[in-house]
Amino acid sequence: MTPSFYDEGALVAVLTTQPLDRALDYKAPEGGCHLGAFVEVPLGPRKVIGVVWGPGKGDYDYAKIRSVIRVLDAAPMRDEMRAFLEKAAAYTLTPMPAMLRLATRAPGLGDPPSMRKVYRRGPSEPDRVTDARKRVLEFLSEYGDLSFTLKELAELSGVTSSVIKGLVKQGAVAEEDSPRDLPFPPLDPERPGKALTDDQALAAGQIANAVASNTYGTTLLRGVTGSGKTEVYLEAVAACLRSGRQALVLLPEIALTAEFLTRVEARFGARPAEWHSGATMTERRRIWRMVGMGQAQLVIGARSALFLPYQNLGLIVVDEEHDTSYKQEDGVLYNARDMAVLRASLLGAQVVLASATPSLESWANAESGKYARVDLEARFGPAVMPQMRTIDMRTEALPSGRWVSDTLKRAVEARLEAGEQAMLFLNRRGYAPITLCRACGHQVGCDQCDARMVEHRFLKRLMCHQCGETKPLPTICPSCEAEDRMAPVGPGVERLGEEAVELFPDARVAVLSSDMYGSARALKAEIESIAEGAADVIIGTQLVAKGHNFPSLTLVGVIDADLGLQGSDLRAAERTFQLMRQVAGRAGRAEKPGTALLQTYQPEHPVIRAILAGDEEGFWRAEAAEREAAGVPPYGRMAGIILSGPDVAQVFDAANALARNTAPLQRVGAQVFGPAPAPIARIRGRHRVRLLVKAGKGVALQGAISRWVGQLRLKGDLRLAVDIDPQSFY
Ligand code: ADP
Ligand code: ZN
């Protein structure tokens, strides 16, 4: 057994976030250190932060081994967390230092707990009571023994800070040092939630019982948008808090809205910790520390919140579990949904996967009995699922440069007359996907990537969606030098917005696209104001499909329902199905019934028909049968290997070398496909070549792959990335 404490001078292995292939040996510092302790160690001329990972290896001269400099003021990493990082690293074939980086994404870890000045009512009375002074003292006595920062107190009592300083001198206000990182206010699970319907109560009871069991289990909570999944899992959170354990709710970044947090606050009487990309450094440090001390009971966060140092996590909810943003596509390639299940299984915690349109993976796990499944059948209250119909574009004569059919136009007009909102959905950012020279047919591409440049009129530039490179719109064709012949081809949301303004001159049109707002916060603010009625026609990309509530929205028009059906992605049908169902779920969430109209050139396509029929089980069964026959996930295993480098020949040579020496894979019965140029064959000037590994479901693929790619020595600037369970095939 690994000892849990090391006395001074004992050899310990310290894992750091530096890209080394092993933990390094150090001597335990004066006073010793715990297993899992966060420490500062010398590394060459530098000092770096690391974690005591176990006993030292002892394969160096003891005399030359350096000492740990100091133990940091943070709770040691728990055994469970170390095991989780090791398992996650083994699963995703990620080096441990990169894994540790995910778990230490808090600034100032090595800083002593910093203090700040706070102010409260002091023992004395001031010599002279002015109006301003009176306001401060009255405010403070109202709040009893709470204390405030200078800025808060000045703002809340409406005085300048010099008034407060004056009161401090007289002892009427006391100035004290207090730790900067304060615990989160306690949440009260006993506050009454909404009165649940029978259906909801049954679901909530089942999950709450599972939580109370203190064992591992995963439940798929399926219910149409608006059926009350959130109400139900908040009851499970309440059960978890009642048992004294922490809870985590993961959301896609964009669904983490003020509206949602307000709802949680209303349920539990205080705001939970909120972990997202927009959090300030101070907030991050506070959350990281308080989570580790058990003084943040509930975290609402985006994917990386899974790597916080929870002290006693009892429940992880993954809302919108099918959402592709749970897969991190750069750096460590992990799927937060799958890693949530892994972490919970190590902890004896419960997982709730909530979705209106679960992933086929989760659906199959529920079918096979690996996950429990709970269904909410109806929408809450009077709202019903929208009616869905197709518009057969083969019979709609559309002039060029127009994308809204007359049928759809009339439907929108009817909604506008009724004072309701309509949404036009197109999953394409920018103004036009192609900029073409009318003289020679040249299409403007990115200089660094094999991708077309997309016009963004809003930015007045062309942009590459792969690398983000932009350039001005050319007036002269870069190929044939003809003047003023460049023309936009095809629609993006910006162009659709222009069309909507023309078609509906009296309506307020708003375009919602992630790139048109400076920050996620600005975008969320815009979404909220639209939900409150600031626009009549909403034009949006897929981000509007993610859990927002637009109460007066009664019509959704899908401009190109065929868009997702193209392409070679094995999940194309599943994605289209989910997206269309989610978008349609925006319509008619309140009292007014909704309609969804899908413009399509393939009304007979099985996916389009399944969407219309609302036959989810039927769709999944058909899709599952196809994947099973093809031996692809979730009925088989897959991994993508991407080799990239500046020199195309060198990249192919390396890929061919791999493809020739597949003995380690053959031994487990895995097959290799490729090498082939990746669908996007060049990104940021690096050529990309892809190999695909396929294996049976029970195969221990990771070991075989690491032995296989381990044979290759990466020369020069060549890079190799392994993507286990790839979600996107770019
Ligand atoms: P979902 O998460 O499935 O989309 P929500 O939990 O957000 O559904 O519920 C949709 C709406 O219906 C919310 O405004 C929610 O407050 C309301 N709602 C759901 N269940 C109830 C209930 N039992 N009592 C009152 N309001 C409810
Ligand atoms: Zn590019």
Side-chain angles (χ1 to χ4, degrees):
M1 229 191 77
T2 318
S4 65
F5 189 83
Y6 300 92
D7 292 323
E8 180 177 355
L11 275 190
V12 291
V14 174
L15 178 69
T16 72
T17 57
Q18 306 299 311
L20 306 166
D21 54 10
R22 54 169 278 189
L24 300 178
D25 280 6
Y26 290 92
K27 290 172 190 159
E30 190 186 331
C33 59
H34 279 99
L35 178 62
F38 284 85
V39 292
E40 188 177 52
V41 294
L43 186 70
R46 289 178 306 149
K47 293 175 181 172
V48 300
I49 286 174
V51 173
V52 175
W53 213 259
K57 262 195 155 176
D59 50 1
Y60 285 110
D61 180 2
Y62 182 84
K64 287 196 189 136
I65 288 178
R66 301 209 263 174
S67 274
V68 167
I69 299 169
R70 65 190 176 102
V71 176
L72 305 183
D73 178 46
M77 186 182 279
R78 302 165 53 79
D79 294 353
E80 157 270 314
M81 183 69 177
R82 292 199 319 282
F84 170 56
L85 294 180
E86 282 179 352
K87 290 231 156 76
Y91 190 87
T92 57
L93 291 177
T94 301
M96 280 308 291
M99 218 63 227
L100 182 62
R101 223 172 293 142
L102 278 182
T104 51
R105 284 223 293 226
L109 254 184
D111 302 349
S114 58
M115 306 296 275
R116 62 175 179 177
K117 298 257 180 275
V118 293
Y119 299 81
R120 68 165 78 223
R121 184 68 167 95
S124 323
E125 293 302 321
D127 53 358
R128 199 166 46 78
V129 181
T130 62
D131 267 1
R133 287 182 167 183
K134 204 166 138 208
R135 281 207 297 280
V136 176
L137 297 180
E138 276 175 0
F139 176 82
L140 285 178
S141 37
E142 193 178 327
Y143 283 92
D145 33 70
L146 286 184
S147 51
F148 301 87
T149 64
L150 189 59
K151 189 160 163 264
E152 284 165 355
L153 185 54
E155 270 175 26
L156 291 170
S157 49
V159 302
T160 61
S161 51
S162 61
V163 173
I164 298 166
K165 289 279 170 67
L167 287 166
V168 170
K169 276 208 193 91
Q170 310 214 335
V173 169
E175 184 184 76
E176 293 163 357
D177 285 321
S178 137
R180 188 176 287 278
D181 299 322
L182 296 176
F184 284 83
L187 305 183
D188 180 6
E190 304 307 342
R191 281 169 67 100
K194 299 210 165 91
L196 299 184
T197 63
D198 291 350
D199 223 18
Q200 291 171 343
L202 201 68
Q206 190 170 329
I207 300 170
N209 281 342
V211 169
S213 75
N214 276 329
T215 55
Y216 161 72
T218 295
T219 305
L220 174 60
L221 172 61
R222 198 204 61 95
V224 296
T225 320
S227 58
K229 294 184 295 300
T230 311
E231 297 299 335
V232 168
Y233 72 64
L234 287 180
E235 288 316 305
V237 168
C240 178
L241 299 186
R242 236 173 254 139
S243 75
R245 299 177 84 184
Q246 290 168 300
L248 164 65
V249 175
L250 290 178
L251 292 171
E253 176 90 37
I254 188 71
L256 221 167
T257 57
E259 183 196 359
F260 183 81
L261 286 154
T262 307
R263 194 168 164 187
V264 176
E265 183 174 357
R267 175 66 182 83
F268 298 115
R271 252 176 131 72
E274 182 188 347
W275 179 269
H276 57 91
S277 65
T280 63
M281 290 297 155
T282 319
E283 286 167 332
R284 278 174 178 262
R285 188 189 56 201
R286 177 183 178 210
I287 295 174
W288 197 92
R289 283 185 180 273
M290 291 307 139
V291 163
M293 287 158 55
Q295 293 187 338
Q297 292 161 279
L298 172 61
V299 177
I300 310 284
R303 135 189 109 198
S304 59
L306 186 60
F307 291 90
L308 289 170
Y310 300 93
Q311 199 184 47
N312 57 355
L313 193 58
L315 171 70
I316 306 175
V317 176
V318 185
D319 199 354
E320 311 274 353
E321 67 90 28
H322 62 278
D323 197 284
T324 50
S325 70
Y326 283 120
K327 178 71 187 279
Q328 175 154 305
E329 295 284 7
D330 50 31
V332 179
L333 307 176
Y334 71 94
N335 188 323
R337 177 194 63 211
D338 301 344
M339 292 302 116
V341 171
L342 172 63
R343 185 155 192 190
S345 69
L346 294 170
L347 276 169
Q350 289 287 316
V351 179
V352 172
L353 305 177
S355 176
T357 53
S359 60
L360 187 65
E361 273 82 359
S362 299
W363 181 83
N365 279 329
E367 282 288 292
S368 71
K370 255 173 90 178
Y371 296 172
R373 174 167 162 177
V374 179
D375 284 64
L376 296 175
E377 286 308 340
R379 278 193 168 189
F380 176 74
V384 286
M385 271 311 274
Q387 276 196 3
M388 290 194 253
R389 275 183 279 128
T390 51
I391 296 175
D392 186 345
M393 297 302 281
R394 294 169 304 191
T395 64
E396 299 268 342
L398 267 187
S400 81
R402 268 200 49 197
W403 291 276
V404 178
S405 63
D406 284 335
T407 309
L408 182 53
K409 174 171 179 260
R410 283 193 300 274
V412 173
E413 282 164 351
R415 300 299 157 152
L416 295 178
E417 267 158 40
E420 296 163 9
Q421 288 178 316
M423 176 184 290
L424 299 178
F425 173 81
L426 176 66
N427 205 11
R428 251 198 203 138
R429 292 179 290 142
Y431 184 81
I434 301 173
T435 301
L436 177 119
C437 169
R438 270 200 257 262
C440 73
H442 174 77
Q443 301 184 1
V444 182
C446 174
D447 299 332
Q448 300 298 313
C449 311
D450 277 354
R452 295 194 193 108
M453 296 291 266
V454 177
E455 180 181 349
H456 285 245
R457 204 153 276 194
F458 172 73
L459 302 170
K460 300 193 180 64
R461 291 178 84 79
L462 295 175
M463 185 195 285
C464 169
H465 284 182
Q466 293 314 318
C467 71
E469 188 66 32
T470 68
K471 55 185 168 192
L473 263 166
T475 50
I476 296 175
C477 173
S479 174
C480 74
E481 299 184 355
E483 247 175 90
D484 293 325
R485 301 297 301 276
M486 305 306 291
V489 177
V493 280
E494 293 177 21
R495 197 170 192 185
L496 189 60
E498 268 183 22
E499 185 181 351
V501 169
E502 261 170 52
L503 293 179
F504 316 111
D506 300 327
R508 292 164 301 166
V509 174
V511 179
L512 277 179
S513 177
S514 54
D515 52 342
M516 296 176 70
Y517 297 87
S519 65
R521 253 174 218 276
L523 175 65
K524 284 175 197 168
E526 175 72 10
I527 291 175
E528 271 152 39
S529 93
I530 291 175
E532 280 158 21
D536 307 309
V537 178
I538 308 157
I539 315 275
T541 56
Q542 65 174 359
L543 65 89
V544 297
K546 293 185 182 173
H548 303 290
N549 208 343
F550 297 98
S552 6
L553 180 72
T554 54
L555 173 72
V556 172
V558 177
I559 297 301
D560 189 351
D562 308 330
L563 203 53
L565 296 176
Q566 303 147 5
S568 55
D569 187 339
L570 81 99
R571 292 184 180 82
E574 178 184 348
R575 296 254 163 82
T576 304
F577 183 77
Q578 287 163 342
L579 196 57
M580 293 300 120
R581 300 275 306 177
Q582 297 269 341
V583 169
R586 295 300 113 218
R589 287 197 69 176
E591 289 76 28
K592 300 165 195 153
T595 303
L597 296 175
L598 278 58
Q599 297 194 150
T600 171
Y601 287 91
Q602 314 171 57
E604 306 303 319
H605 194 290
V607 173
I608 302 284
R609 289 169 68 157
I611 294 169
L612 289 190
D615 179 10
E616 292 180 48
E617 294 299 318
F619 170 78
W620 279 321
R621 254 187 283 284
E623 181 69 12
E626 261 182 46
R627 298 235 200 126
E628 194 159 10
V632 295
Y635 303 97
R637 302 206 55 194
M638 259 188 181
I641 313 289
I642 294 262
L643 278 150
S644 69
D647 180 61
V648 67
Q650 198 192 22
V651 179
F652 258 104
D653 283 349
N656 283 322
L658 270 184
R660 273 193 305 272
N661 300 308
T662 56
L665 294 178
Q666 279 164 15
R667 249 170 263 138
V668 298
Q671 286 172 285
V672 182
F673 299 88
I680 298 163
R682 199 168 49 121
I683 295 184
R684 290 191 181 89
R686 298 178 67 84
H687 295 272
R688 307 169 75 241
V689 170
R690 216 171 201 296
L691 294 137
L692 203 59
V693 179
K694 252 180 83 179
K697 196 165 166 52
V699 168
L701 197 54
Q702 281 86 347
I705 288 182
S706 61
R707 281 189 295 281
W708 175 50
V709 301
Q711 306 174 88
L712 186 70
R713 282 218 22 246
L714 290 174
K715 280 177 252 145
D717 201 8
L718 215 57
R719 263 181 257 152
L720 181 143
V722 181
D723 186 1
I724 302 288
D725 310 331
Q727 286 283 325
S728 66
F729 293 80
Y730 66 91

Short mmCIF file of all heavy atoms in Angstrom, two decimals, residues 160-188:
data_model
loop_
_atom_site.label_atom_id
_atom_site.label_comp_id
_atom_site.label_asym_id
_atom_site.label_seq_id
_atom_site.Cartn_x
_atom_site.Cartn_y
_atom_site.Cartn_z
N THR A 160 -19.17 58.27 -0.35
CA THR A 160 -17.82 58.10 -0.88
C THR A 160 -16.99 57.32 0.13
O THR A 160 -17.34 57.24 1.31
CB THR A 160 -17.14 59.47 -1.11
OG1 THR A 160 -17.04 60.12 0.15
CG2 THR A 160 -17.94 60.31 -2.09
N SER A 161 -15.86 56.76 -0.36
CA SER A 161 -15.06 55.94 0.55
C SER A 161 -14.44 56.80 1.66
O SER A 161 -14.14 56.29 2.73
CB SER A 161 -14.00 55.16 -0.22
OG SER A 161 -13.27 56.04 -1.03
N SER A 162 -14.28 58.12 1.43
CA SER A 162 -13.67 58.94 2.48
C SER A 162 -14.60 59.06 3.70
O SER A 162 -14.13 59.18 4.82
CB SER A 162 -13.29 60.32 1.94
OG SER A 162 -14.44 60.98 1.47
N VAL A 163 -15.89 58.97 3.46
CA VAL A 163 -16.83 59.00 4.59
C VAL A 163 -16.56 57.78 5.49
O VAL A 163 -16.50 57.88 6.72
CB VAL A 163 -18.29 58.97 4.08
CG1 VAL A 163 -19.26 58.81 5.26
CG2 VAL A 163 -18.61 60.21 3.28
N ILE A 164 -16.37 56.62 4.84
CA ILE A 164 -16.14 55.39 5.61
C ILE A 164 -14.80 55.45 6.34
O ILE A 164 -14.71 55.11 7.52
CB ILE A 164 -16.21 54.17 4.67
CG1 ILE A 164 -17.62 54.09 4.06
CG2 ILE A 164 -15.89 52.88 5.41
CD1 ILE A 164 -17.75 53.18 2.88
N LYS A 165 -13.78 55.93 5.61
CA LYS A 165 -12.46 56.07 6.25
C LYS A 165 -12.56 56.96 7.49
O LYS A 165 -11.93 56.68 8.52
CB LYS A 165 -11.45 56.66 5.25
CG LYS A 165 -11.05 55.67 4.15
CD LYS A 165 -9.99 54.72 4.68
CE LYS A 165 -9.69 53.55 3.76
NZ LYS A 165 -9.04 53.92 2.49
N GLY A 166 -13.36 58.03 7.38
CA GLY A 166 -13.56 58.94 8.51
C GLY A 166 -14.17 58.20 9.70
O GLY A 166 -13.74 58.37 10.85
N LEU A 167 -15.13 57.34 9.42
CA LEU A 167 -15.78 56.59 10.49
C LEU A 167 -14.83 55.56 11.11
O LEU A 167 -14.92 55.25 12.30
CB LEU A 167 -17.03 55.89 9.95
CG LEU A 167 -18.22 56.81 9.66
CD1 LEU A 167 -19.28 56.11 8.83
CD2 LEU A 167 -18.84 57.32 10.98
N VAL A 168 -13.92 55.04 10.28
CA VAL A 168 -12.94 54.07 10.80
C VAL A 168 -12.05 54.76 11.83
O VAL A 168 -11.79 54.23 12.92
CB VAL A 168 -12.09 53.48 9.65
CG1 VAL A 168 -10.92 52.67 10.21
CG2 VAL A 168 -12.95 52.62 8.73
N LYS A 169 -11.60 55.98 11.49
CA LYS A 169 -10.73 56.74 12.42
C LYS A 169 -11.39 56.90 13.78
O LYS A 169 -10.73 56.87 14.81
CB LYS A 169 -10.46 58.13 11.84
CG LYS A 169 -9.29 58.14 10.85
CD LYS A 169 -8.61 59.51 10.81
CE LYS A 169 -7.69 59.60 9.61
NZ LYS A 169 -8.42 60.15 8.43
N GLN A 170 -12.70 57.04 13.77
CA GLN A 170 -13.40 57.29 15.02
C GLN A 170 -13.84 56.00 15.71
O GLN A 170 -14.49 56.05 16.75
CB GLN A 170 -14.62 58.14 14.73
CG GLN A 170 -14.27 59.35 13.91
CD GLN A 170 -15.12 60.54 14.26
OE1 GLN A 170 -16.23 60.38 14.75
NE2 GLN A 170 -14.58 61.72 14.05
N GLY A 171 -13.55 54.87 15.08
CA GLY A 171 -13.92 53.59 15.71
C GLY A 171 -15.39 53.22 15.53
O GLY A 171 -15.86 52.23 16.09
N ALA A 172 -16.13 54.01 14.74
CA ALA A 172 -17.54 53.69 14.53
C ALA A 172 -17.69 52.58 13.50
O ALA A 172 -18.67 51.86 13.46
CB ALA A 172 -18.31 54.93 14.09
N VAL A 173 -16.67 52.48 12.63
CA VAL A 173 -16.62 51.37 11.69
C VAL A 173 -15.30 50.65 11.94
O VAL A 173 -14.26 51.30 12.10
CB VAL A 173 -16.72 51.86 10.23
CG1 VAL A 173 -16.38 50.74 9.26
CG2 VAL A 173 -18.11 52.41 9.94
N ALA A 174 -15.36 49.32 12.02
CA ALA A 174 -14.14 48.55 12.25
C ALA A 174 -13.58 48.04 10.93
O ALA A 174 -14.34 47.58 10.07
CB ALA A 174 -14.45 47.38 13.18
N GLU A 175 -12.26 48.17 10.77
CA GLU A 175 -11.59 47.68 9.57
C GLU A 175 -10.84 46.41 9.94
O GLU A 175 -10.08 46.40 10.90
CB GLU A 175 -10.61 48.75 9.08
CG GLU A 175 -9.92 48.42 7.78
CD GLU A 175 -8.89 49.50 7.42
OE1 GLU A 175 -7.80 49.50 8.05
OE2 GLU A 175 -9.17 50.31 6.54
N GLU A 176 -11.08 45.32 9.20
CA GLU A 176 -10.44 44.04 9.55
C GLU A 176 -9.86 43.36 8.32
O GLU A 176 -10.29 43.64 7.21
CB GLU A 176 -11.49 43.09 10.16
CG GLU A 176 -12.03 43.54 11.50
CD GLU A 176 -13.33 42.83 11.86
OE1 GLU A 176 -13.82 42.03 11.03
OE2 GLU A 176 -13.82 43.08 12.96
N ASP A 177 -8.91 42.46 8.57
CA ASP A 177 -8.39 41.64 7.48
C ASP A 177 -9.23 40.38 7.38
O ASP A 177 -9.56 39.77 8.39
CB ASP A 177 -6.94 41.24 7.76
CG ASP A 177 -6.01 42.41 7.54
OD1 ASP A 177 -6.26 43.17 6.56
OD2 ASP A 177 -5.07 42.59 8.33
N SER A 178 -9.56 40.00 6.16
CA SER A 178 -10.35 38.78 5.99
C SER A 178 -9.82 38.05 4.77
O SER A 178 -9.33 38.69 3.84
CB SER A 178 -11.82 39.18 5.85
OG SER A 178 -12.45 38.45 4.85
N PRO A 179 -9.86 36.71 4.76
CA PRO A 179 -9.34 36.00 3.59
C PRO A 179 -10.09 36.43 2.34
O PRO A 179 -11.30 36.66 2.38
CB PRO A 179 -9.60 34.53 3.91
CG PRO A 179 -10.16 34.47 5.26
CD PRO A 179 -10.46 35.84 5.74
N ARG A 180 -9.34 36.56 1.25
CA ARG A 180 -9.95 37.02 0.01
C ARG A 180 -10.96 36.01 -0.54
O ARG A 180 -11.99 36.37 -1.07
CB ARG A 180 -8.84 37.24 -1.02
CG ARG A 180 -9.29 37.89 -2.28
CD ARG A 180 -8.08 38.14 -3.16
NE ARG A 180 -7.27 39.23 -2.64
CZ ARG A 180 -7.54 40.52 -2.86
NH1 ARG A 180 -8.61 40.86 -3.53
NH2 ARG A 180 -6.75 41.44 -2.39
N ASP A 181 -10.63 34.73 -0.40
CA ASP A 181 -11.52 33.71 -0.96
C ASP A 181 -12.52 33.27 0.09
O ASP A 181 -12.18 32.54 1.01
CB ASP A 181 -10.71 32.50 -1.43
CG ASP A 181 -9.73 32.90 -2.51
OD1 ASP A 181 -10.10 33.75 -3.35
OD2 ASP A 181 -8.60 32.39 -2.50
N LEU A 182 -13.72 33.73 -0.05
CA LEU A 182 -14.74 33.41 0.95
C LEU A 182 -15.51 32.15 0.54
O LEU A 182 -15.68 31.89 -0.64
CB LEU A 182 -15.70 34.57 1.08
CG LEU A 182 -15.06 35.86 1.60
CD1 LEU A 182 -16.07 36.99 1.60
CD2 LEU A 182 -14.50 35.64 3.00
N PRO A 183 -15.96 31.39 1.54
CA PRO A 183 -16.80 30.23 1.22
C PRO A 183 -18.05 30.69 0.48
O PRO A 183 -18.46 31.85 0.61
CB PRO A 183 -17.18 29.67 2.59
CG PRO A 183 -16.24 30.29 3.56
CD PRO A 183 -15.78 31.58 2.97
N PHE A 184 -18.65 29.79 -0.27
CA PHE A 184 -19.91 30.12 -0.92
C PHE A 184 -21.03 30.02 0.12
O PHE A 184 -20.95 29.21 1.04
CB PHE A 184 -20.16 29.18 -2.09
CG PHE A 184 -19.31 29.54 -3.26
CD1 PHE A 184 -17.99 29.11 -3.35
CD2 PHE A 184 -19.80 30.36 -4.26
CE1 PHE A 184 -17.18 29.48 -4.40
CE2 PHE A 184 -19.00 30.74 -5.32
CZ PHE A 184 -17.69 30.30 -5.40
N PRO A 185 -22.05 30.87 -0.01
CA PRO A 185 -23.12 30.82 0.97
C PRO A 185 -23.79 29.45 0.94
O PRO A 185 -23.88 28.82 -0.12
CB PRO A 185 -24.09 31.91 0.51
CG PRO A 185 -23.71 32.21 -0.90
CD PRO A 185 -22.27 31.87 -1.05
N PRO A 186 -24.19 28.95 2.11
CA PRO A 186 -24.80 27.61 2.13
C PRO A 186 -26.11 27.57 1.34
O PRO A 186 -26.84 28.56 1.28
CB PRO A 186 -25.06 27.36 3.61
CG PRO A 186 -24.90 28.67 4.30
CD PRO A 186 -24.11 29.56 3.42
N LEU A 187 -26.35 26.45 0.70
CA LEU A 187 -27.59 26.26 -0.06
C LEU A 187 -28.56 25.47 0.81
O LEU A 187 -28.14 24.63 1.60
CB LEU A 187 -27.32 25.49 -1.35
CG LEU A 187 -26.25 26.09 -2.27
CD1 LEU A 187 -26.15 25.27 -3.55
CD2 LEU A 187 -26.57 27.53 -2.60
N ASP A 188 -29.81 25.75 0.64
CA ASP A 188 -30.82 25.10 1.48
C ASP A 188 -31.69 24.15 0.66
O ASP A 188 -32.61 24.58 -0.02
CB ASP A 188 -31.68 26.19 2.14
CG ASP A 188 -32.76 25.58 3.02
OD1 ASP A 188 -32.75 24.34 3.18
OD2 ASP A 188 -33.60 26.34 3.51
#
